[in-house]
Coordinates of all heavy atoms in Angstrom, one line a residue:
M121 N 0.8 -1.2 0.0 CA 0.0 0.0 0.0 C 0.9 1.3 0.0 O 2.0 1.2 0.4 CB -0.9 0.0 1.2 CG -2.0 -1.0 1.1 SD -3.6 -0.6 1.9 CE -3.2 0.4 3.3
L122 N 0.3 2.3 -0.4 CA 1.0 3.6 -0.5 C 1.0 4.2 0.9 O 0.1 4.1 1.7 CB 0.3 4.6 -1.4 CG 0.2 4.1 -2.9 CD1 -0.6 5.1 -3.7 CD2 1.6 4.1 -3.5
S123 N 2.1 5.0 1.1 CA 2.2 5.6 2.4 C 1.1 6.8 2.5 O 0.6 7.2 1.5 CB 3.6 6.2 2.6 OG 3.8 7.2 1.7
Q124 N 0.9 7.2 3.7 CA -0.1 8.3 3.9 C 0.3 9.6 3.2 O -0.6 10.2 2.6 CB -0.3 8.5 5.4 CG -1.4 9.5 5.7 CD -2.8 8.9 5.3 OE1 -3.0 7.7 5.3 NE2 -3.7 9.8 5.0
E125 N 1.6 9.9 3.2 CA 2.0 11.2 2.5 C 1.8 11.1 1.0 O 1.4 12.1 0.4 CB 3.5 11.4 2.9 CG 3.8 11.7 4.3 CD 4.0 10.4 5.1 OE1 4.2 9.4 4.5 OE2 3.9 10.5 6.4
L126 N 2.1 9.9 0.4 CA 2.0 9.8 -1.0 C 0.5 9.8 -1.4 O 0.1 10.4 -2.4 CB 2.6 8.5 -1.5 CG 2.7 8.3 -3.0 CD1 3.4 9.4 -3.7 CD2 3.4 7.0 -3.3
Q127 N -0.4 9.2 -0.6 CA -1.8 9.3 -0.9 C -2.3 10.7 -0.8 O -3.1 11.2 -1.7 CB -2.6 8.4 0.1 CG -2.4 7.0 -0.2 CD -3.2 6.1 0.9 OE1 -3.6 6.6 1.9 NE2 -3.3 4.8 0.6
T128 N -1.9 11.5 0.2 CA -2.3 12.9 0.3 C -1.8 13.7 -0.9 O -2.5 14.5 -1.4 CB -1.7 13.5 1.6 OG1 -2.1 12.7 2.7 CG2 -2.2 14.9 1.8
L129 N -0.5 13.4 -1.3 CA 0.0 14.2 -2.5 C -0.8 13.9 -3.8 O -1.1 14.8 -4.5 CB 1.5 13.8 -2.6 CG 2.2 14.5 -3.8 CD1 2.3 16.0 -3.5 CD2 3.6 14.0 -3.9
L130 N -1.1 12.6 -4.0 CA -1.9 12.2 -5.1 C -3.3 12.9 -5.1 O -3.8 13.3 -6.1 CB -2.0 10.7 -5.2 CG -0.8 10.0 -5.7 CD1 -1.0 8.5 -5.6 CD2 -0.3 10.4 -7.1
L131 N -3.9 12.9 -3.9 CA -5.2 13.6 -3.8 C -5.1 15.1 -4.1 O -6.0 15.7 -4.7 CB -5.8 13.4 -2.4 CG -6.4 12.0 -2.2 CD1 -6.8 11.8 -0.7 CD2 -7.6 11.7 -3.1
L132 N -4.0 15.7 -3.7 CA -3.9 17.1 -4.0 C -3.6 17.4 -5.4 O -4.0 18.5 -6.0 CB -2.8 17.7 -3.1 CG -3.1 17.8 -1.6 CD1 -1.8 18.3 -0.8 CD2 -4.2 18.8 -1.4
A133 N -2.8 16.5 -6.1 CA -2.4 16.8 -7.5 C -3.5 16.3 -8.5 O -3.5 16.8 -9.6 CB -1.1 16.0 -7.8
S134 N -4.4 15.5 -8.1 CA -5.4 15.0 -9.1 C -6.3 16.1 -9.7 O -6.6 16.0 -10.9 CB -6.3 13.9 -8.4 OG -7.0 14.4 -7.3
P135 N -6.8 17.1 -8.9 CA -7.6 18.2 -9.6 C -6.8 18.9 -10.7 O -7.3 19.3 -11.7 CB -8.0 19.1 -8.5 CG -7.8 18.3 -7.2 CD -6.8 17.3 -7.5
I136 N -5.5 19.2 -10.4 CA -4.6 19.9 -11.4 C -4.5 19.0 -12.6 O -4.6 19.5 -13.8 CB -3.3 20.2 -10.8 CG1 -3.4 21.2 -9.6 CG2 -2.3 20.7 -11.8 CD1 -2.2 21.4 -8.8
F137 N -4.3 17.7 -12.5 CA -4.2 16.8 -13.6 C -5.5 16.8 -14.4 O -5.5 16.8 -15.6 CB -3.8 15.4 -13.1 CG -3.5 14.5 -14.3 CD1 -2.4 14.6 -15.1 CD2 -4.4 13.4 -14.5 CE1 -2.2 13.8 -16.1 CE2 -4.2 12.5 -15.5 CZ -3.1 12.7 -16.3
L138 N -6.6 16.7 -13.7 CA -7.9 16.7 -14.4 C -8.2 18.0 -15.1 O -8.8 17.9 -16.2 CB -9.1 16.4 -13.4 CG -9.1 15.0 -12.8 CD1 -10.1 14.9 -11.7 CD2 -9.3 13.9 -13.9
I139 N -7.8 19.1 -14.6 CA -8.0 20.4 -15.3 C -7.1 20.4 -16.5 O -7.6 20.8 -17.6 CB -7.6 21.6 -14.3 CG1 -8.7 21.7 -13.2 CG2 -7.4 22.8 -15.1 CD1 -8.4 22.6 -12.1
Q140 N -5.9 19.9 -16.4 CA -5.0 19.9 -17.5 C -5.6 19.0 -18.7 O -5.5 19.3 -19.8 CB -3.6 19.4 -17.1 CG -2.7 19.3 -18.3 CD -1.3 18.9 -17.8 OE1 -0.9 19.4 -16.7 NE2 -0.6 18.2 -18.6
I141 N -6.1 17.8 -18.3 CA -6.7 16.9 -19.3 C -7.9 17.6 -20.0 O -8.0 17.5 -21.2 CB -7.1 15.6 -18.7 CG1 -5.8 14.8 -18.2 CG2 -7.9 14.7 -19.6 CD1 -4.9 14.4 -19.3
G142 N -8.7 18.2 -19.2 CA -9.9 18.9 -19.7 C -9.5 20.0 -20.7 O -10.0 20.2 -21.8
L143 N -8.4 20.8 -20.3 CA -7.9 21.9 -21.2 C -7.3 21.3 -22.5 O -7.5 21.9 -23.5 CB -6.9 22.7 -20.4 CG -7.4 23.8 -19.6 CD1 -6.2 24.5 -18.8 CD2 -8.1 24.9 -20.3
S144 N -6.6 20.2 -22.3 CA -6.1 19.6 -23.5 C -7.1 19.1 -24.5 O -7.0 19.3 -25.7 CB -5.2 18.4 -23.1 OG -4.1 18.9 -22.4
I145 N -8.2 18.5 -24.0 CA -9.3 18.0 -24.8 C -10.0 19.2 -25.5 O -10.2 19.2 -26.7 CB -10.3 17.2 -24.0 CG1 -9.6 15.9 -23.6 CG2 -11.5 16.9 -24.8 CD1 -10.4 15.0 -22.6
Y146 N -10.2 20.3 -24.7 CA -10.9 21.5 -25.3 C -10.0 22.1 -26.4 O -10.5 22.5 -27.4 CB -11.2 22.5 -24.2 CG -11.7 23.8 -24.7 CD1 -13.1 23.8 -25.0 CD2 -10.9 24.9 -24.8 CE1 -13.6 25.0 -25.5 CE2 -11.5 26.1 -25.3 CZ -12.8 26.1 -25.6 OH -13.3 27.3 -26.1
S147 N -8.7 22.2 -26.1 CA -7.8 22.8 -27.1 C -7.7 21.9 -28.3 O -7.7 22.5 -29.5 CB -6.4 22.9 -26.5 OG -6.4 23.8 -25.4
L148 N -7.7 20.6 -28.2 CA -7.6 19.8 -29.4 C -8.9 19.8 -30.2 O -8.8 19.9 -31.5 CB -7.3 18.3 -29.0 CG -5.8 18.1 -28.6 CD1 -5.7 16.7 -27.9 CD2 -4.9 18.2 -29.8
V149 N -10.0 19.9 -29.6 CA -11.3 20.0 -30.3 C -11.3 21.4 -31.0 O -11.7 21.5 -32.2 CB -12.5 19.8 -29.3 CG1 -13.8 20.3 -30.0 CG2 -12.6 18.4 -28.9
D150 N -10.9 22.4 -30.3 CA -10.9 23.8 -30.9 C -9.9 23.8 -32.1 O -10.2 24.4 -33.1 CB -10.4 24.8 -29.9 CG -10.5 26.2 -30.4 OD1 -11.6 26.7 -30.6 OD2 -9.4 26.8 -30.7
L151 N -8.8 23.1 -32.0 CA -7.8 23.1 -33.1 C -8.4 22.3 -34.3 O -8.2 22.7 -35.4 CB -6.5 22.4 -32.6 CG -5.4 22.3 -33.6 CD1 -4.9 23.6 -34.0 CD2 -4.3 21.4 -33.0
A152 N -9.1 21.3 -34.0 CA -9.7 20.5 -35.1 C -10.8 21.4 -35.9 O -11.0 21.2 -37.1 CB -10.4 19.3 -34.6
K153 N -11.5 22.2 -35.2 CA -12.6 23.0 -35.8 C -12.1 24.3 -36.4 O -12.7 24.8 -37.4 CB -13.6 23.4 -34.7 CG -14.4 22.3 -34.2 CD -15.4 22.7 -33.2 CE -16.3 21.6 -32.7 NZ -17.2 22.1 -31.7
R154 N -10.9 24.8 -36.0 CA -10.4 26.1 -36.4 C -9.7 26.0 -37.7 O -8.9 25.0 -37.9 CB -9.5 26.7 -35.3 CG -9.3 28.2 -35.5 CD -8.7 28.7 -34.2 NE -9.7 28.7 -33.1 CZ -10.5 29.7 -32.9 NH1 -10.6 30.7 -33.7 NH2 -11.4 29.6 -31.9
K155 N -9.9 26.9 -38.6 CA -9.2 26.9 -39.9 C -7.9 27.6 -39.9 O -6.9 27.1 -40.6 CB -10.1 27.5 -41.0 CG -11.3 26.8 -41.3 CD -12.2 27.4 -42.3 CE -13.5 26.7 -42.6 NZ -14.4 27.3 -43.5
L156 N -7.7 28.6 -39.1 CA -6.5 29.4 -39.1 C -5.9 29.3 -37.7 O -6.6 29.5 -36.7 CB -6.8 30.8 -39.5 CG -7.3 31.1 -40.9 CD1 -7.7 32.6 -41.0 CD2 -6.3 30.7 -41.9
T157 N -4.6 29.1 -37.6 CA -3.8 29.2 -36.4 C -2.6 30.0 -36.6 O -2.1 30.1 -37.7 CB -3.5 27.8 -35.8 OG1 -2.7 27.1 -36.8 CG2 -4.7 27.0 -35.5
R158 N -2.0 30.5 -35.5 CA -0.7 31.1 -35.6 C 0.3 30.0 -35.4 O 0.5 29.4 -34.3 CB -0.5 32.1 -34.5 CG -1.4 33.3 -34.7 CD -1.1 34.4 -33.7 NE -1.9 35.5 -34.0 CZ -2.7 36.1 -33.1 NH1 -2.8 35.6 -31.9 NH2 -3.5 37.1 -33.4
G159 N 1.0 29.6 -36.4 CA 2.0 28.5 -36.4 C 1.3 27.3 -37.1 O 0.2 27.3 -37.3
P160 N 2.2 26.3 -37.3 CA 1.6 25.1 -38.0 C 0.7 24.3 -37.1 O 0.9 24.1 -35.9 CB 2.9 24.3 -38.3 CG 4.0 24.9 -37.6 CD 3.6 26.2 -37.1
R161 N -0.4 23.9 -37.7 CA -1.4 23.1 -36.9 C -0.9 21.8 -36.4 O -1.2 21.4 -35.3 CB -2.6 22.8 -37.8 CG -3.4 24.1 -38.2 CD -4.4 23.8 -39.3 NE -5.4 22.7 -38.9 CZ -6.4 22.9 -38.2 NH1 -6.7 24.1 -37.7 NH2 -7.2 21.9 -37.9
W162 N 0.0 21.1 -37.2 CA 0.5 19.8 -36.7 C 1.4 20.0 -35.5 O 1.4 19.2 -34.6 CB 1.3 19.1 -37.9 CG 2.5 19.9 -38.3 CD1 2.6 20.8 -39.3 CD2 3.8 19.8 -37.7 NE1 3.9 21.3 -39.4 CE2 4.7 20.7 -38.4 CE3 4.4 19.0 -36.7 CZ2 6.0 20.8 -38.1 CZ3 5.7 19.2 -36.4 CH2 6.5 20.1 -37.1
L163 N 2.1 21.1 -35.4 CA 3.0 21.4 -34.3 C 2.1 21.6 -33.0 O 2.4 21.1 -31.9 CB 3.9 22.6 -34.5 CG 4.9 22.9 -33.4 CD1 5.8 21.8 -33.1 CD2 5.6 24.2 -33.8
W164 N 1.0 22.4 -33.2 CA 0.1 22.6 -32.0 C -0.5 21.3 -31.6 O -0.6 21.0 -30.4 CB -1.0 23.6 -32.4 CG -0.5 25.0 -32.4 CD1 -0.5 25.9 -33.4 CD2 -0.1 25.8 -31.2 NE1 -0.1 27.1 -33.0 CE2 0.2 27.1 -31.7 CE3 0.1 25.5 -29.9 CZ2 0.7 28.1 -30.8 CZ3 0.6 26.5 -29.1 CH2 0.9 27.7 -29.5
A165 N -0.9 20.4 -32.5 CA -1.4 19.1 -32.2 C -0.4 18.3 -31.4 O -0.8 17.7 -30.4 CB -1.9 18.4 -33.4
V166 N 0.8 18.2 -31.9 CA 1.8 17.4 -31.2 C 2.1 18.0 -29.8 O 2.2 17.2 -28.8 CB 3.1 17.4 -32.0 CG1 4.3 16.8 -31.2 CG2 2.9 16.6 -33.3
L167 N 2.2 19.3 -29.7 CA 2.5 19.9 -28.4 C 1.3 19.7 -27.4 O 1.6 19.4 -26.2 CB 2.8 21.4 -28.5 CG 4.1 21.7 -29.2 CD1 4.2 23.2 -29.4 CD2 5.3 21.2 -28.4
L168 N 0.1 19.8 -27.9 CA -1.0 19.6 -27.0 C -1.2 18.1 -26.5 O -1.5 17.9 -25.4 CB -2.3 20.0 -27.7 CG -2.5 21.5 -27.9 CD1 -3.6 21.8 -28.8 CD2 -2.6 22.3 -26.6
V169 N -0.9 17.2 -27.4 CA -1.0 15.8 -27.0 C 0.2 15.4 -26.0 O -0.1 14.8 -25.0 CB -0.9 14.9 -28.3 CG1 -0.7 13.4 -27.9 CG2 -2.2 15.0 -29.1
L170 N 1.4 15.9 -26.3 CA 2.5 15.6 -25.4 C 2.3 16.3 -24.1 O 2.7 15.8 -23.0 CB 3.8 16.0 -26.1 CG 4.3 15.2 -27.2 CD1 5.6 15.7 -27.8 CD2 4.5 13.7 -26.8
G171 N 1.8 17.5 -24.2 CA 1.6 18.3 -23.0 C 0.5 17.7 -22.0 O 0.5 18.0 -20.8
A172 N -0.3 16.9 -22.5 CA -1.4 16.3 -21.7 C -0.8 15.4 -20.6 O -1.4 15.1 -19.6 CB -2.4 15.5 -22.5
A173 N 0.5 14.9 -20.9 CA 1.1 13.9 -19.9 C 2.0 14.6 -18.9 O 2.3 14.0 -17.9 CB 1.9 12.9 -20.7
S174 N 2.4 15.8 -19.1 CA 3.3 16.5 -18.1 C 2.6 17.7 -17.5 O 2.1 18.6 -18.3 CB 4.6 16.8 -18.7 OG 4.4 17.8 -19.7
I175 N 2.6 17.8 -16.2 CA 1.8 18.8 -15.5 C 2.2 20.3 -15.9 O 1.4 21.0 -16.4 CB 1.7 18.6 -14.0 CG1 0.8 17.4 -13.8 CG2 1.1 19.8 -13.3 CD1 0.6 17.0 -12.4
P176 N 3.4 20.7 -15.6 CA 3.7 22.2 -15.9 C 3.7 22.5 -17.4 O 3.2 23.5 -17.8 CB 5.0 22.4 -15.2 CG 5.7 21.1 -15.0 CD 4.6 20.1 -15.0
F177 N 4.3 21.6 -18.2 CA 4.4 21.8 -19.6 C 3.0 21.9 -20.3 O 2.8 22.7 -21.1 CB 5.3 20.7 -20.2 CG 5.4 20.8 -21.7 CD1 6.2 21.9 -22.3 CD2 4.8 19.9 -22.6 CE1 6.3 22.0 -23.7 CE2 5.0 20.0 -23.9 CZ 5.7 21.1 -24.5
G178 N 2.2 21.0 -19.9 CA 0.8 20.9 -20.5 C 0.0 22.2 -20.2 O -0.7 22.7 -21.1
L179 N 0.1 22.7 -19.0 CA -0.7 23.9 -18.7 C -0.1 25.1 -19.5 O -0.9 25.9 -19.9 CB -0.6 24.2 -17.2 CG -1.4 23.2 -16.3 CD1 -1.1 23.5 -14.8 CD2 -2.9 23.2 -16.6
I180 N 1.2 25.2 -19.6 CA 1.8 26.3 -20.4 C 1.4 26.2 -21.8 O 1.1 27.2 -22.5 CB 3.3 26.2 -20.2 CG1 3.7 26.6 -18.7 CG2 4.0 27.2 -21.1 CD1 5.1 26.3 -18.4
V181 N 1.5 25.0 -22.4 CA 1.2 24.8 -23.9 C -0.3 25.1 -24.1 O -0.7 25.8 -25.1 CB 1.5 23.4 -24.3 CG1 0.9 23.1 -25.7 CG2 3.0 23.2 -24.4
N182 N -1.2 24.7 -23.2 CA -2.6 25.0 -23.4 C -2.9 26.5 -23.3 O -3.7 27.0 -24.1 CB -3.4 24.2 -22.3 CG -3.7 22.8 -22.7 OD1 -4.1 22.5 -23.8 ND2 -3.3 21.9 -21.8
A183 N -2.2 27.1 -22.3 CA -2.4 28.6 -22.2 C -1.9 29.3 -23.4 O -2.5 30.2 -23.9 CB -1.7 29.1 -20.9
L184 N -0.7 28.9 -23.9 CA -0.2 29.5 -25.1 C -1.1 29.4 -26.3 O -1.3 30.3 -27.1 CB 1.2 29.0 -25.4 CG 2.4 29.5 -24.7 CD1 3.6 28.7 -25.0 CD2 2.6 31.0 -24.9
Y185 N -1.6 28.2 -26.5 CA -2.5 28.0 -27.6 C -3.8 28.8 -27.5 O -4.2 29.4 -28.4 CB -2.9 26.5 -27.8 CG -4.0 26.3 -28.8 CD1 -3.7 26.4 -30.2 CD2 -5.3 26.0 -28.5 CE1 -4.7 26.3 -31.1 CE2 -6.3 25.9 -29.4 CZ -5.9 26.0 -30.8 OH -6.9 25.9 -31.7
L186 N -4.4 28.7 -26.3 CA -5.7 29.4 -26.1 C -5.6 30.9 -26.2 O -6.5 31.6 -26.6 CB -6.4 28.9 -24.8 CG -6.8 27.5 -24.8 CD1 -7.3 27.1 -23.4 CD2 -7.9 27.3 -25.9
L187 N -4.4 31.5 -25.7 CA -4.3 32.9 -25.6 C -3.6 33.5 -26.9 O -3.9 34.6 -27.3 CB -3.5 33.3 -24.4 CG -4.1 33.0 -23.1 CD1 -3.1 33.3 -21.9 CD2 -5.4 33.8 -22.9
W188 N -2.7 32.7 -27.5 CA -2.0 33.3 -28.7 C -2.2 32.5 -29.9 O -2.2 33.1 -31.0 CB -0.5 33.4 -28.3 CG 0.3 34.0 -29.4 CD1 0.4 35.3 -29.8 CD2 1.1 33.3 -30.4 NE1 1.2 35.5 -30.8 CE2 1.6 34.2 -31.3 CE3 1.4 31.9 -30.6 CZ2 2.4 33.9 -32.3 CZ3 2.2 31.6 -31.6 CH2 2.7 32.6 -32.5
G189 N -2.2 31.2 -29.9 CA -2.1 30.3 -31.1 C -3.4 30.3 -31.9 O -3.3 30.1 -33.1
R190 N -4.5 30.6 -31.3 CA -5.8 30.7 -32.1 C -5.8 31.9 -32.9 O -5.6 33.0 -32.4 CB -7.0 30.6 -31.2 CG -7.0 29.3 -30.4 CD -8.3 29.1 -29.7 NE -8.7 30.3 -28.8 CZ -9.8 30.4 -28.2 NH1 -10.7 29.4 -28.3 NH2 -10.1 31.4 -27.5
Q191 N -6.1 31.8 -34.2 CA -6.3 33.0 -35.1 C -7.8 33.3 -35.0 O -8.6 32.5 -35.3 CB -5.8 32.6 -36.5 CG -5.9 33.8 -37.5 CD -4.6 34.6 -37.4 OE1 -3.6 34.2 -36.8 NE2 -4.6 35.7 -38.1
V192 N -8.1 34.6 -34.8 CA -9.5 35.0 -34.7 C -10.0 35.0 -36.2 O -9.4 35.6 -37.1 CB -9.6 36.4 -34.1 CG1 -11.0 36.9 -34.1 CG2 -9.1 36.4 -32.7
E193 N -11.1 34.3 -36.3 CA -11.8 34.2 -37.7 C -12.9 35.2 -37.7 O -13.7 35.4 -36.8 CB -12.2 32.8 -37.9 CG -11.1 31.8 -37.9 CD -11.5 30.4 -38.0 OE1 -12.7 30.1 -38.0 OE2 -10.7 29.5 -38.0
A194 N -13.1 35.8 -38.9 CA -14.2 36.7 -39.1 C -15.5 35.9 -39.2 O -15.5 34.8 -39.8 CB -14.0 37.5 -40.4
P195 N -16.6 36.4 -38.6 CA -17.8 35.7 -38.7 C -18.4 35.8 -40.1 O -18.2 36.7 -40.8 CB -18.8 36.4 -37.7 CG -18.1 37.7 -37.5 CD -16.7 37.6 -37.8
L196 N -19.1 34.7 -40.5 CA -19.6 34.7 -41.9 C -20.9 35.4 -42.0 O -21.7 35.6 -41.2 CB -19.8 33.2 -42.3 CG -18.5 32.5 -42.4 CD1 -18.9 31.0 -42.8 CD2 -17.6 33.0 -43.5

C-alpha cells in the first residue's frame, strides 16, 4: 500500500491533472474546428498531445494555444 504522505500528495495533485486533461481536450477540439492558427497546426497538435502527460508543460502549452495560437476568424 501507499504511504499516507503519497496518498495525500496524489489527492492534492489530481484536480490539477484533471484540469489539464480537460484543457487539452478542449484545445484539441478547438484546433480541429479552427481553420487558421498562428503557427503550424501539426505542431500545435503534437505539443497539446505531449503536454497532456506532463503537468507544468501541459498547462503552459494549453495557455499559449488558447491565448496566442488561435487565429481570430471573421464571422460569416
Side-chain angles (χ1 to χ4, degrees):
M121 286 210 329
L122 297 174
S123 67
Q124 186 66 27
E125 294 85 16
L126 187 57
Q127 286 178 347
T128 304
L129 182 63
L130 288 174
L131 283 175
L132 290 174
S134 61
I136 296 170
F137 185 70
L138 291 175
I139 289 170
Q140 179 175 325
I141 294 295
L143 276 174
S144 295
I145 291 170
Y146 176 78
S147 297
L148 284 169
V149 169
D150 183 73
L151 181 65
K153 291 181 180 179
R154 199 164 290 273
K155 293 180 183 175
L156 299 173
T157 59
R158 292 186 178 125
R161 294 171 54 83
W162 66 268
L163 181 61
W164 282 116
V166 168
L167 289 175
L168 290 170
V169 168
L170 290 177
S174 63
I175 289 179
F177 178 69
L179 291 174
I180 293 168
V181 169
N182 281 306
L184 279 174
Y185 172 72
L186 292 173
L187 295 174
W188 182 79
R190 300 189 307 173
Q191 185 86 9
V192 177
E193 298 173 357
L196 296 176

